[in-house]
Amino acid sequence: MSDVMESEASNMHNVICDRDHMAQITSTQAVTLVDKQSTSMPMLQLLNPTGELLNEQYKNAWDKKIALKLFYAMHFTRILDERMVAAQRQGRISFYLACTGEEAAIVGATAGVEMRDMIMTQYREQGALVYRGFSATQFMNQMFSNALDPNKGRQMPIHYGDKELNFMTVSSPLGTQIPQAAGFAYGQKMAGQDAITLCFFGEGAASEGDFHAGLNMAAVLECPCIFLCRNNGYAISTPANEQFKGDGIASRGVGYGVHTIRVDGNDALAMYVATKEARRFSLKNNRPVLIEAMTYRLAAHSTSDDPSGYRSRDEEIVWREKDPIMRMHRYLQQVGWLDEKDLDGYISKTRSDLLAAVKYAENQSVAPLTEIVTDVYKDIEPHLQDQLNALRAHVENYPESYPNTAHPIASDNQTGGPK
Amino acid sequence: MSDVMESEASNMHNVICDRDHMAQITSTQAVTLVDKQSTSMPMLQLLNPTGELLNEQYKNAWDKKIALKLFYAMHFTRILDERMVAAQRQGRISFYLACTGEEAAIVGATAGVEMRDMIMTQYREQGALVYRGFSATQFMNQMFSNALDPNKGRQMPIHYGDKELNFMTVSSPLGTQIPQAAGFAYGQKMAGQDAITLCFFGEGAASEGDFHAGLNMAAVLECPCIFLCRNNGYAISTPANEQFKGDGIASRGVGYGVHTIRVDGNDALAMYVATKEARRFSLKNNRPVLIEAMTYRLAAHSTSDDPSGYRSRDEEIVWREKDPIMRMHRYLQQVGWLDEKDLDGYISKTRSDLLAAVKYAENQSVAPLTEIVTDVYKDIEPHLQDQLNALRAHVENYPESYPNTAHPIASDNQTGGPK
Amino acid sequence: MAQLNLLQAVNHALHTAMEADDSVMVMGEDVGHFGGVFRATSNLQKTFGKARCFNTPLVEQGIIGFANGLAAQGAKPIAEIQFADYIYPAFDQIVNETAKFRYRSGGQFTVGGLTIRTPYGGGIAGGHYHSQSPEAFFAHVPGIKVVIPRNPYQAKGLLLSSIRASDPVLFMEPKRLYRASVGEVPEMDYELPLGKADLVQNGSDITLVAWGAQVEILQEAAQKALSHGVSCEIIDLQSILPWDRETICQSVIKTGRCLINHEAPLTGGFASEIAAVVQSECFLHLEAPIARVCGLDTPYPLAHEKEYMPDALKTFEAIMQTVHF
Amino acid sequence: MAQLNLLQAVNHALHTAMEADDSVMVMGEDVGHFGGVFRATSNLQKTFGKARCFNTPLVEQGIIGFANGLAAQGAKPIAEIQFADYIYPAFDQIVNETAKFRYRSGGQFTVGGLTIRTPYGGGIAGGHYHSQSPEAFFAHVPGIKVVIPRNPYQAKGLLLSSIRASDPVLFMEPKRLYRASVGEVPEMDYELPLGKADLVQNGSDITLVAWGAQVEILQEAAQKALSHGVSCEIIDLQSILPWDRETICQSVIKTGRCLINHEAPLTGGFASEIAAVVQSECFLHLEAPIARVCGLDTPYPLAHEKEYMPDALKTFEAIMQTVHF
Ligand SMILES: Cc1ncc(C[n+]2csc(CCOP(=O)(O)OP(=O)(O)O)c2C)c(N)n1
Ligand SMILES: Cc1ncc(C[n+]2csc(CCOP(=O)(O)OP(=O)(O)O)c2C)c(N)n1
Ligand SMILES: [Mg+2]
Ligand SMILES: [Mg+2]
């Protein structure tokens, strides 16, 4: 070993300044084990559950337009979820994952950043896409795995991705996007962009090693990004108290030297204000911020799950009363910004748009067979070309066994579809 | 997906009690990003650098016997390090890794636990073995990779392991022992043992995902173990301020809900007292404790390293003055426990023991060829037996090319050796 | 005898092992009260208590790290990785720790009591991340054993052997078969040998080798080949590491031809190892090149899953090509 | 032309790439001011600044995770893993993320700019954890490329191609050769093609295949064989994934015999893939079984390193056995 690892320090001329890794540390002369009560992480709340503004100081922190945009996007998300859970029950799609109860956390945060900011998500953040203008048809093309899905039907439903909307394609392995967000933000900084990265994940995913890596690296390498943990109380069946013993996820931020804020995740305006401030701070100082959104997964984990196996109806009812859409509704009523008729119109139009989009998307063909080997590498490498050729010959030999690719359904419209 | 992951919750009759993952959380109505100054992690110090006891309350927290055992073990470790660094320079061993400057942290902590407690280390904790009675010869058998090494010469020098001394075999990949320590401690608890696990690692290794996993799991699964981080300012060339931005490693403990204490790692008695208290707390409550020992790696990272490439002499000098052995020496003088003549005798005896052990160990043969395939599995599986047979035939064919195994040096003494 | 599906057989084995030995413990994501996302660990917590069957935080590297420590202490942990696609965060703990624990300590310390269970494989519309078959990665790791059952009977017997083996075992369960059908499973405690292949069907023209859910693909293809006058011998490898070279090679020496089928991508898949050994051991007996019918060298796709899969038709074609070489 | 060792050639390539393209950044443990534990990144921080050549915290999964994100943003990160033995904590980020990034997004997002550099292999008394050759694990991962140079000239040219490739590349450096000898390396910027094998020596009796440090082992064995009248063709694979089937198979069709040598354990090593393809493509031309001379199926030992290694003597023996089959 010795020779290969040998130092060649002789060519280092620059002076190294003395370091003191203990410069900030005070001393004590008594043994005390410090426990978690030593930190305090209160939760920002601007609206109470009945929709009253709790701190007048913030009353101009948003305007009517943004409040309504937020509110409508939350509604769209709720309706989308209802529709798709039903579609899965009908066997029209194989899988779905709803964010019911968490719309405020997701949409509020998305409203707090800019369109040019990159968003990386876990999988329960369709509200972010809604806010950014992903259409009903775009949602359906992904979920029906058809040829118009930008992912070319390669991933399970809910693995959205849209380059134009700065929304990174979803990946199932949990936590992997967290260090990636730090790296992406570092790239934004190096490229001199006036943009940050907003990275969502669940409190379960925060147990992964990648969480630790991502937060620490973002702090050390001074990355302008926001880590947004949705603490919704469950990771599938595992309750938060079997996930961690500390004071939520927020209390970890401090340990990384990351500025941190805990927010009521069912309060869309608190989420909006906190995220906006986090973005300002992060971009100005090239520093990460951790936001913990306290919320609750009212939905089942996914359409494959039945929560009655691990939690009580009563518990769910408590949280149903804290519905974030209801809270925002009351607030908008109180400040006189709500046009109930317009809302009803929006809701029914959204329903019919979604219905039309489902019908459209389920009639599209799957991507052509070639796409099974494209995008593995930038070009189709020779061994993949060989595999494709063999596969194509085989499919042509047995067309009835591979109906989707042997007889592609002629698609009437390859780019558009209903809006 | 849907059918295979479908819930069959109908057979669950037991009532699930309601959970509230927000029960402990208070609220605020103003946006404040919490930064690391919010926590305070003072460092326990019982002796000042000139060896004076700073808090009389602790004067009976140790007795003469333990203080001297500690002190002598620190000396043994220092001498071992000097001797082996020299042996490596002479080309007698391929690699060595010294713990100079960190003896108090390691030996002090080891003295604070019981012999029946498991110790898992990183690689710089030979002091723990010394304290537990590993002999000069045992050290040398490992470092000369001979047949008497319990590892059978399979690992690089310094990868000690001794079942009898409850000292887990060292493994190079950093951080892997941290979740293992949690699991080992869980096993001790389940087996009803009156024992804990003490797990050492560096502040660099604490960046690994396994650190995050280990601390969180130990907290959640209530494991009686002590995590002891040696924060010695460097991970090879990487200074602590390029490793993390938080307040050391201690401030992370709180985030996991792990009771935590920061200790002056150059104060052997503070380390002893803190570890003893941590053990008591941990065993009584089945809870992990995190200790951060603030110290400094006076040595090069290893014999393959030259620190002058990345840190200043002046910085080293500051720390040389905080030498833990010197501090303990002064304390022992002050309380009248030091017999200088006895110490001198111990030092010269240790030197000659080590020298004799080197001579002994370097003359032992390597393990017989069969050992190349044993211990991969409990029994030698057929494919490995075939590979061994082929290898043996080959070695017999070319004895001059494989001198170590073709002509094993007759070993005069297969079990003993000088003490 | 009970009629059980593969999932129930696994659950039976776990109950049996925990009943027989207090040091057996089950751990993993959602394995506790809920009984696992596939319900393989149903009722274990209820029967044996929370200390012996427990949820872990969501961290695979921690699950295996913790289980390594627990096994080193002397317990017999059975750690579940929810999907084989999520085993990679634990790769270091498995490759550098589990597999080398005994060797590096000269036999002083071992994690031989460890069993890792994980559902693997496609056919459930799971896309990239709920379909992978990573057995080849682990086949290249001396120090662990890799075992895959193909039906409920095998599942119970092989899982019990794996739990009780003195070596760490990665036990991979073909999730496509979890509820696909039921089979006879003895109520009693029984073990099937590790490291041994299972002769599923006798034949004379070609030896077909697979494991897990692909064995039934071979059976289907063999049926079709039979109607074309080709007699196939079918072998279920069962143990991927160490594997039963003797049984395979003896069969190929008899038939003169060999085909291996697996779902994982072709390049670097375990079929390559079998082919490399068979061509070497049976060189003078081979009448045609050894065929590999495997997944494509792409991530596991969703919409094109049918096209990606090494199905019975592709296998049949390759059989005919090999026989008529 | 300069006389450089392999380490210097790597360092040259890094300087060249960073000079030519501002978006190239170097990151990893100790790569900054210190220049890496092997000094491969010497003077990069001094020349290009701390923002473009930086130390990371000690967390391999983070290094690759961060680099994946950075590459997705459009930069060209070169991430160093200090030893290939420590790449496993990053296995998930490589296998599930790096390799599938482009495919899963339908080409919308890619980490094609990423290069991972890591020293691998034995022969330096490094024991289990400073000697491993994990290329076979990565050869089973569609979506990445795996490249290994055998000398300073190859190192510079292949590394430059890897950095500039539109696909993520794992670039493995044979550390035993880092300072072993020097060779001629052009001062200029040049690239060598990925996916192509290199014919090292013409011969007629047997084709010998290896990569990295083992190529010189083949040369030594071939020398010895020549004195016994056996003429060996030697091919350096250079790219492990995708690999140059054509060059290998053409050679074997000519020589009728094939031997593959690698340091990694035999079972599931990359030699098995080559053997599987060669037996299939060259079936009618093979005059003897394809031989594999590889590491034992054990962890990499220290005291028995010499015995473990697939050295020139073992290779020579296998050549003679194959030729006299
Ligand atoms: C690495 C990895 N392990 C396990 C899973 C399986 N899995 C999918 S979602 C989930 C729970 C996630 O919980 P959380 O992060 O709290 O997010 P939530 O579902 O509550 O939004 C698990 C275990 C996975 N996708 N990836
Ligand atoms: C997983 C892994 N990555 C990298 C290394 C190489 N390495 C060996 S020691 C070391 C630095 C460790 O620093 P620290 O944990 O602070 O311990 P110290 O050496 O200061 O005692 C590194 C990077 C390793 N052994 N394992
Ligand atoms: Mg959750
Ligand atoms: Mg350190």
Side-chain angles (χ1 to χ4, degrees):
Chain A
M1 291 292 299
S2 54
D3 61 331
V4 283
M5 280 172 70
E6 198 173 75
S7 170
E8 283 166 1
S10 49
N11 62 349
M12 299 262 166
H13 299 297
N14 43 348
V15 179
I16 305 159
C17 52
D18 298 355
R19 298 185 187 98
D20 182 3
H21 64 298
M22 283 169 56
Q24 309 289 325
I25 291 172
T26 61
S27 71
T28 174
Q29 284 70 47
V31 179
T32 327
L33 301 182
V34 179
D35 78 0
K36 66 176 175 177
Q37 270 73 48
S38 70
T39 53
S40 157
M41 281 288 165
M43 174 178 87
L44 176 70
Q45 200 176 58
L46 295 179
L47 298 183
N48 73 10
T50 57
E52 282 163 304
L53 183 64
L54 295 168
N55 185 341
E56 281 296 311
Q57 204 190 309
Y58 287 95
K59 89 168 180 256
N60 296 319
W62 52 81
D63 59 18
K64 179 179 170 183
K65 199 175 143 212
I66 216 149
L68 284 175
K69 187 172 176 198
L70 249 172
F71 182 62
Y72 278 50
M74 287 164 70
H75 265 293
F76 187 108
T77 309
R78 180 72 57 94
I79 300 164
L80 173 71
D81 284 355
E82 287 165 0
R83 196 57 236 116
M84 299 321 292
V85 169
Q88 193 278 336
R89 286 218 188 93
Q90 295 161 2
R92 294 167 94 164
I93 57 171
S94 58
F95 181 81
Y96 190 72
L97 202 148
C99 83
T100 310
E102 302 180 49
E103 296 91 344
I106 295 152
V107 177
T110 304
V113 299
E114 300 293 325
M115 191 67 168
R116 64 184 172 278
D117 296 328
M118 171 54 69
I119 291 184
M120 298 191 182
T121 66
Q122 181 155 311
Y123 47 52
R124 206 182 293 285
E125 295 90 351
Q126 48 270 42
L129 273 171
V130 172
Y131 189 86
R132 289 196 163 184
F134 207 58
S135 72
T137 312
Q138 286 178 297
F139 272 110
M140 296 313 149
N141 287 338
Q142 198 289 320
M143 282 185 281
F144 284 89
S145 314
N146 68 27
L148 302 177
D149 168 19
N151 301 346
K152 305 181 185 175
R154 288 173 183 149
Q155 289 211 76
M156 279 174 68
I158 69 103
H159 290 67
Y160 318 106
D162 195 279
K163 179 117 185 169
E164 258 179 58
L165 297 181
N166 281 317
F167 187 96
M168 179 62 72
T169 304
V170 172
S171 162
S172 317
L174 290 168
T176 51
Q177 79 279 21
I178 305 174
Q180 289 172 13
F184 201 99
Y186 192 86
Q188 290 170 314
K189 177 177 82 170
M190 291 297 287
Q193 293 177 6
D194 176 29
I196 65 149
T197 297
L198 168 61
C199 175
F200 288 92
F201 50 90
E203 90 292 342
S207 292
E208 292 283 3
D210 274 1
F211 165 87
H212 183 61
L215 268 86
N216 189 39
M217 291 183 80
V220 171
L221 298 166
E222 306 187 341
C223 305
C225 57
I226 299 174
F227 296 108
L228 201 155
C229 179
R230 295 180 290 95
N231 183 341
N232 62 10
Y234 287 89
I236 310 185
S237 77
T238 303
N241 68 344
E242 296 181 23
Q243 193 67 246
F244 51 77
K245 282 288 178 230
D247 178 16
I249 307 303
S251 68
R252 292 183 196 162
V254 180
Y256 297 114
V258 170
H259 284 71
T260 299
I261 183 168
R262 171 176 274 155
V263 186
D264 182 341
N266 286 20
D267 178 346
L269 294 171
M271 286 299 304
Y272 169 71
V273 169
T275 308
K276 205 167 163 180
E277 169 58 13
R279 181 183 193 277
R280 191 199 58 74
F281 177 88
S282 178
L283 196 59
K284 175 160 172 247
N285 303 290
N286 281 320
R287 288 286 186 290
V289 175
L290 171 64
I291 300 177
E292 182 179 30
M294 304 304 300
T295 179
Y296 189 82
R297 197 197 76 208
L298 271 178
H301 169 69
S302 73
T303 50
S304 306
D305 176 50
D306 174 3
S308 70
Y310 52 83
R311 71 186 188 192
S312 76
R313 287 262 170 247
D314 287 353
E315 183 187 307
E316 290 178 11
I317 287 166
V318 170
W319 279 93
R320 244 177 251 291
E321 277 156 20
K322 300 196 210 174
D323 187 328
I325 295 187
M326 191 65 78
R327 192 185 305 191
M328 192 67 188
H329 191 105
R330 287 176 183 145
Y331 166 77
L332 291 171
Q333 275 179 326
Q334 282 164 34
V335 294
W337 288 349
L338 191 67
D339 175 341
E340 308 255 4
K341 237 183 94 185
D342 187 72
L343 176 62
D344 290 346
Y346 178 78
I347 291 174
S348 54
K349 177 168 184 323
T350 301
R351 288 210 178 103
S352 63
D353 283 356
L354 287 167
L355 206 65
V358 165
K359 288 204 178 124
Y360 172 79
E362 69 187 353
N363 285 313
Q364 300 303 307
S365 56
V366 302
L369 189 56
T370 318
E371 301 287 11
I372 202 170
V373 299
T374 58
D375 301 324
V376 180
Y377 297 99
K378 176 148 181 295
D379 304 313
I380 300 177
E381 296 284 332
H383 67 294
L384 284 168
Q385 187 61 54
D386 290 354
Q387 293 180 12
L388 176 63
N389 295 346
L391 176 60
R392 190 173 278 141
H394 180 75
V395 167
E396 278 165 17
N397 222 0
Y398 294 98
E400 70 294 349
S401 297
Y402 307 92
N404 292 337
T405 43
H407 304 301
I409 301 161
S411 170
D412 40 329
N413 182 346
Q414 281 292 325
T415 49
K419 286 295 150 216
Chain B
M1 292 291 301
S2 55
D3 63 333
V4 282
M5 281 173 67
E6 197 173 74
S7 168
E8 283 165 0
S10 49
N11 63 349
M12 299 262 166
H13 299 298
N14 43 346
V15 179
I16 305 159
C17 50
D18 298 353
R19 299 184 187 98
D20 182 2
H21 64 298
M22 285 171 54
Q24 310 288 325
I25 291 173
T26 61
S27 71
T28 174
Q29 283 71 47
V31 179
T32 327
L33 301 182
V34 179
D35 79 0
K36 65 177 175 177
Q37 269 73 47
S38 70
T39 54
S40 157
M41 281 286 165
M43 174 179 86
L44 176 71
Q45 199 175 57
L46 295 178
L47 298 184
N48 72 11
T50 58
E52 282 162 305
L53 183 64
L54 293 170
N55 184 342
E56 281 297 310
Q57 204 190 309
Y58 287 96
K59 86 168 185 258
N60 297 318
W62 53 82
D63 59 17
K64 179 179 171 183
K65 198 175 142 212
I66 215 147
L68 284 174
K69 186 172 175 196
L70 250 173
F71 182 63
Y72 278 51
M74 287 163 70
H75 266 292
F76 187 109
T77 308
R78 180 72 57 95
I79 300 163
L80 172 72
D81 283 355
E82 287 164 1
R83 197 57 235 114
M84 299 322 291
V85 168
Q88 193 277 336
R89 287 218 187 94
Q90 295 161 2
R92 294 166 94 165
I93 57 172
S94 58
F95 180 83
Y96 190 72
L97 202 148
C99 84
T100 311
E102 303 179 47
E103 296 91 344
I106 296 153
V107 178
T110 305
V113 300
E114 301 293 326
M115 190 69 165
R116 63 182 172 279
D117 296 327
M118 171 54 69
I119 291 184
M120 298 191 182
T121 66
Q122 182 156 310
Y123 47 53
R124 205 181 293 286
E125 295 89 351
Q126 48 269 43
L129 273 171
V130 172
Y131 189 87
R132 288 193 166 186
F134 207 58
S135 73
T137 311
Q138 286 178 297
F139 273 110
M140 296 314 149
N141 287 338
Q142 198 288 320
M143 281 184 284
F144 284 89
S145 313
N146 67 26
L148 301 176
D149 167 20
N151 301 345
K152 305 182 184 172
R154 289 173 183 151
Q155 290 210 76
M156 279 174 69
I158 68 102
H159 289 67
Y160 319 105
D162 195 278
K163 179 118 186 167
E164 257 177 57
L165 296 181
N166 281 317
F167 187 96
M168 179 61 73
T169 304
V170 172
S171 163
S172 317
L174 290 168
T176 51
Q177 79 279 20
I178 305 174
Q180 288 172 14
F184 201 100
Y186 191 87
Q188 290 170 313
K189 177 176 86 169
M190 291 298 287
Q193 291 176 9
D194 176 29
I196 65 147
T197 298
L198 168 60
C199 174
F200 288 92
F201 52 89
E203 90 292 342
S207 292
E208 291 282 3
D210 274 2
F211 166 87
H212 183 61
L215 268 87
N216 189 38
M217 290 183 80
V220 172
L221 297 166
E222 305 186 342
C223 305
C225 57
I226 300 175
F227 296 107
L228 201 155
C229 179
R230 296 179 289 95
N231 182 342
N232 62 9
Y234 287 89
I236 309 186
S237 77
T238 303
N241 67 346
E242 297 182 23
Q243 193 67 245
F244 51 75
K245 282 288 177 231
D247 178 17
I249 306 303
S251 68
R252 293 184 196 161
V254 180
Y256 296 113
V258 169
H259 283 70
T260 300
I261 183 167
R262 171 176 274 155
V263 186
D264 182 341
N266 285 21
D267 178 346
L269 294 171
M271 285 299 304
Y272 169 72
V273 169
T275 309
K276 206 168 162 180
E277 170 57 13
R279 181 183 193 279
R280 190 199 60 73
F281 177 88
S282 178
L283 195 59
K284 176 162 169 245
N285 302 291
N286 282 320
R287 289 286 186 290
V289 175
L290 171 64
I291 300 178
E292 182 180 29
M294 304 305 300
T295 180
Y296 188 83
R297 197 197 75 208
L298 273 178
H301 169 69
S302 73
T303 51
S304 306
D305 176 49
D306 174 4
S308 71
Y310 53 82
R311 72 187 186 190
S312 76
R313 288 262 171 246
D314 288 353
E315 183 187 306
E316 290 178 10
I317 288 166
V318 171
W319 280 92
R320 244 177 251 291
E321 277 155 20
K322 300 196 208 174
D323 187 330
I325 296 186
M326 190 66 77
R327 191 185 305 193
M328 192 69 187
H329 191 104
R330 287 176 183 146
Y331 166 77
L332 292 170
Q333 274 180 327
Q334 281 165 36
V335 295
W337 288 349
L338 191 67
D339 176 341
E340 307 255 4
K341 241 184 88 183
D342 188 73
L343 176 62
D344 289 347
Y346 177 77
I347 290 173
S348 55
K349 181 173 182 320
T350 301
R351 287 210 179 104
S352 64
D353 283 357
L354 286 167
L355 206 65
V358 165
K359 288 203 179 127
Y360 172 79
E362 68 188 353
N363 284 313
Q364 300 304 308
S365 57
V366 302
L369 190 56
T370 318
E371 301 288 11
I372 202 170
V373 299
T374 58
D375 300 324
V376 179
Y377 297 98
K378 176 150 184 294
D379 304 313
I380 300 177
E381 296 283 332
H383 67 295
L384 284 167
Q385 187 61 54
D386 290 353
Q387 293 181 12
L388 176 63
N389 295 346
L391 175 61
R392 190 174 278 140
H394 180 76
V395 167
E396 278 165 17
N397 224 0
Y398 294 97
E400 70 293 349
S401 296
Y402 308 91
N404 292 337
T405 43
H407 303 300
I409 302 161
S411 169
D412 40 330
N413 182 345
Q414 282 291 324
T415 49
K419 286 298 152 223
Chain C
M1 285 283 190
Q3 290 285 329
L4 303 180
N5 65 27
L6 202 151
L7 211 39
Q8 291 164 326
V10 166
N11 188 255
H12 259 228
L14 295 174
H15 273 276
T16 305
M18 290 184 83
E19 188 69 52
D21 182 349
D22 276 354
S23 75
V24 175
M25 299 176 208
V26 167
M27 54 180 286
E29 293 158 15
D30 302 295
V31 302
H33 176 77
F34 188 54
V37 293
F38 291 102
R39 326 311 307 277
T41 57
S42 276
N43 291 315
L44 295 175
Q45 188 175 86
K46 203 169 142 190
T47 312
F48 301 103
K50 209 168 168 171
R52 287 185 60 204
C53 174
F54 51 93
N55 285 342
T56 62
L58 209 170
V59 53
E60 291 77 11
Q61 64 193 114
I63 293 172
I64 305 302
F66 190 97
N68 275 335
L70 189 48
Q73 193 277 332
K76 291 186 150 293
I78 304 172
E80 176 176 307
I81 297 294
Q82 205 163 79
F83 287 85
D85 315 65
Y86 304 135
I87 202 168
Y88 308 127
F91 204 69
D92 185 53
Q93 281 286 350
I94 298 172
V95 172
N96 270 339
E97 298 292 317
T98 305
K100 300 178 175 59
F101 222 92
R102 193 197 304 264
Y103 194 77
R104 74 183 179 207
S105 70
Q108 291 188 91
F109 298 99
T110 141
V111 295
L114 172 64
T115 306
I116 303 172
R117 287 183 44 246
T118 192
Y120 83 96
I124 61 151
H128 301 353
Y129 298 116
H130 298 84
S131 305
Q132 295 176 44
S133 298
E135 70 273 10
F137 293 124
F138 298 100
H140 189 45
V141 183
I144 58 170
K145 298 191 168 182
V146 182
V147 175
I148 304 182
R150 77 167 183 280
N151 65 27
Y153 173 77
Q154 250 87 7
K156 182 172 173 183
L158 288 171
L159 181 51
L160 280 167
S161 305
S162 298
I163 294 167
R164 291 157 180 172
S166 301
D167 297 305
V169 179
L170 173 62
F171 189 81
M172 297 174 63
E173 300 165 6
K175 61 177 163 308
R176 184 166 97 223
L177 302 187
Y178 264 166
R179 300 165 199 260
S181 63
V182 294
E184 300 250 297
V185 178
E187 305 270 6
M188 64 171 193
D189 191 333
Y190 66 98
E191 296 179 22
L192 295 172
L194 305 187
K196 291 269 165 268
D198 187 41
L199 181 70
V200 177
Q201 174 183 307
N202 255 303
S204 55
D205 297 328
I206 184 168
T207 302
L208 310 181
V209 183
W211 45 91
Q214 291 305 94
V215 176
E216 65 176 30
I217 300 293
L218 295 188
Q219 290 173 296
E220 204 184 322
Q223 201 58 40
K224 210 168 144 78
L226 189 63
S227 70
H228 288 67
V230 176
S231 158
C232 301
E233 181 141 312
I234 301 179
I235 300 178
D236 173 7
L237 203 58
Q238 289 191 126
S239 276
I240 306 298
L241 186 74
W243 63 285
D244 188 347
R245 296 169 299 166
E246 215 181 308
T247 298
I248 305 294
C249 291
Q250 272 172 6
S251 170
V252 178
I253 286 170
K254 181 180 78 176
T255 63
R257 296 179 192 86
C258 181
L259 175 150
I260 309 137
N261 173 306
H262 60 60
E263 275 183 56
L266 176 82
T267 300
F270 195 65
S272 65
E273 177 63 30
I274 300 173
V277 168
V278 167
Q279 68 81 30
S280 164
E281 302 291 307
C282 314
F283 187 76
L284 296 174
H285 303 271
L286 278 174
E287 292 171 32
I290 300 156
R292 293 186 290 163
V293 181
C294 302
L296 302 186
D297 283 326
T298 70
Y300 199 108
L302 184 82
H304 292 146
E305 175 162 14
K306 218 177 156 30
E307 287 76 9
Y308 171 91
M309 283 287 267
D311 61 13
L313 278 177
K314 294 182 189 172
T315 308
F316 165 72
E317 285 286 313
I319 291 170
M320 298 313 285
Q321 235 178 302
T322 304
V323 170
H324 298 127
F325 180 76
Chain D
M1 285 283 190
Q3 290 285 329
L4 303 180
N5 66 27
L6 203 151
L7 210 40
Q8 292 163 328
V10 165
N11 188 254
H12 258 228
L14 295 173
H15 274 276
T16 305
M18 290 183 83
E19 189 68 53
D21 182 350
D22 276 356
S23 76
V24 175
M25 299 177 208
V26 167
M27 53 179 287
E29 293 158 14
D30 302 296
V31 302
H33 176 77
F34 188 54
V37 294
F38 291 103
R39 324 312 306 279
T41 57
S42 276
N43 291 315
L44 294 175
Q45 189 175 86
K46 204 168 139 191
T47 311
F48 301 103
K50 210 169 167 170
R52 286 185 59 203
C53 174
F54 51 93
N55 285 341
T56 61
L58 209 170
V59 52
E60 292 75 12
Q61 64 193 115
I63 293 173
I64 304 302
F66 190 97
N68 275 335
L70 190 48
Q73 192 278 329
K76 291 187 151 294
I78 305 172
E80 176 176 308
I81 297 294
Q82 204 163 79
F83 288 85
D85 314 66
Y86 304 135
I87 203 168
Y88 308 127
F91 204 69
D92 185 53
Q93 280 287 349
I94 298 172
V95 172
N96 270 340
E97 298 292 318
T98 305
K100 299 177 176 60
F101 222 92
R102 193 198 304 264
Y103 194 77
R104 75 183 177 206
S105 69
Q108 292 188 90
F109 298 100
T110 143
V111 296
L114 172 64
T115 306
I116 304 171
R117 286 184 46 246
T118 192
Y120 82 96
I124 61 152
H128 302 353
Y129 298 116
H130 298 84
S131 305
Q132 296 177 42
S133 298
E135 69 275 10
F137 293 125
F138 298 100
H140 190 44
V141 183
I144 58 169
K145 297 189 168 182
V146 182
V147 175
I148 304 182
R150 77 165 182 281
N151 64 28
Y153 173 77
Q154 250 86 8
K156 182 171 171 185
L158 289 170
L159 182 50
L160 280 167
S161 305
S162 299
I163 294 167
R164 291 157 181 174
S166 301
D167 297 305
V169 178
L170 173 62
F171 189 81
M172 298 174 61
E173 301 165 7
K175 62 176 167 302
R176 182 166 101 224
L177 302 187
Y178 265 165
R179 299 164 199 261
S181 63
V182 295
E184 300 248 298
V185 177
E187 306 269 6
M188 63 170 195
D189 190 333
Y190 66 97
E191 296 179 22
L192 295 172
L194 304 186
K196 291 271 165 265
D198 187 40
L199 182 69
V200 177
Q201 173 181 310
N202 255 304
S204 55
D205 297 329
I206 184 169
T207 302
L208 310 182
V209 183
W211 46 91
Q214 291 304 96
V215 175
E216 65 177 30
I217 300 294
L218 296 188
Q219 291 173 295
E220 203 183 323
Q223 200 58 39
K224 211 170 144 77
L226 189 62
S227 70
H228 289 68
V230 176
S231 158
C232 301
E233 180 140 313
I234 301 179
I235 300 178
D236 173 6
L237 204 56
Q238 290 190 125
S239 276
I240 306 300
L241 187 74
W243 63 287
D244 188 349
R245 295 169 300 165
E246 215 183 308
T247 298
I248 305 294
C249 292
Q250 272 172 5
S251 170
V252 177
I253 286 170
K254 180 180 80 174
T255 63
R257 296 179 191 86
C258 182
L259 176 152
I260 309 136
N261 173 307
H262 59 62
E263 276 183 54
L266 176 82
T267 299
F270 195 65
S272 65
E273 177 63 29
I274 300 173
V277 168
V278 167
Q279 67 83 28
S280 164
E281 303 291 307
C282 313
F283 187 75
L284 297 173
H285 304 270
L286 279 173
E287 291 170 33
I290 301 157
R292 293 184 291 163
V293 182
C294 302
L296 302 186
D297 283 326
T298 70
Y300 198 109
L302 184 83
H304 292 146
E305 175 162 13
K306 221 180 152 25
E307 287 76 9
Y308 170 91
M309 282 286 268
D311 61 12
L313 278 177
K314 293 183 189 171
T315 308
F316 165 73
E317 285 286 314
I319 292 171
M320 299 312 287
Q321 236 179 302
T322 303
V323 170
H324 298 127
F325 179 77

